[in-house]
């Protein structure tokens, strides 16, 4: 069982930056692939970034967002730069055993989400 707690969301203006954090419980954090997803009002939850031994991003955030992890701290981060109003959403951290995935259904554990709002 893994529990995930996100933090770092907030209200920023377009062009500014935020860093999200996701703290995980458990002693086998480094065996999990981690992902960030987001869900805007009225839309489906969508993939943002994932990291295990490799990493990759949704095209919409590539070059602006950076995912990283600190296995010693059981934490995964999402550095978000050059934020746009269309990045406004609830951001969720997720975990799964094994390799990376960009599919919501592949992830077994989810955090409660943190709101990111980008004003124009």
């Amino acid at each position: 069982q893994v529990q995930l707690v996100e933090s770092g969301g907030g209200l920023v203006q377009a062009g500014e930056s935020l860093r999200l954090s996701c703290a995980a419980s458990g002693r086998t954090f480094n065996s999990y692939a981690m992902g960030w997803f987001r869900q805007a009002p009225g839309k489906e939850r969508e993939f943002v970034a994932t990291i295990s031994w490799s990493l990759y991003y949704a095209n919409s955030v590539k070059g602006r967002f950076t995912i990283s992890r600190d296995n010693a701290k059981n934490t995964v981060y999402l550095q978000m730069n050059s934020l746009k109003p269309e990045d406004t959403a609830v951001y969720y951290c997720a975990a799964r055993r094994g390799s990376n995935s960009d599919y919501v259904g592949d992830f077994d554990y989810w955090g409660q989400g943190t709101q990111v709002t980008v004003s124009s």
Side-chain angles (χ1 to χ4, degrees), residues 4-7 19-24 29 32-36 49-52 66-71 73-79 92-95:
L4 304 172
V5 179
E6 302 99 333
S7 61
R19 188 176 82 155
L20 305 183
S21 299
C22 173
F29 176 73
Y32 286 85
M34 303 299 296
W36 285 99
T50 184
I51 184 168
S52 58
T66 302
I67 189 171
S68 62
R69 65 190 297 164
D70 185 337
N71 289 335
K73 295 183 178 180
N74 280 17
T75 301
V76 63
Y77 303 97
L78 185 68
Q79 178 66 43
Y92 295 92
C93 174

Side-chain angles (χ1 to χ4, degrees), residues 10-19 64-65 79-85 87 116-119:
L11 171 64
V12 296
Q13 293 187 335
E16 294 184 341
S17 299
L18 279 175
R19 188 176 82 155
R64 300 188 297 122
F65 290 11
Q79 178 66 43
M80 305 185 295
N81 298 331
S82 302
L83 282 161
K84 304 176 181 179
D87 295 317
V116 172
T117 303
V118 185
S119 63

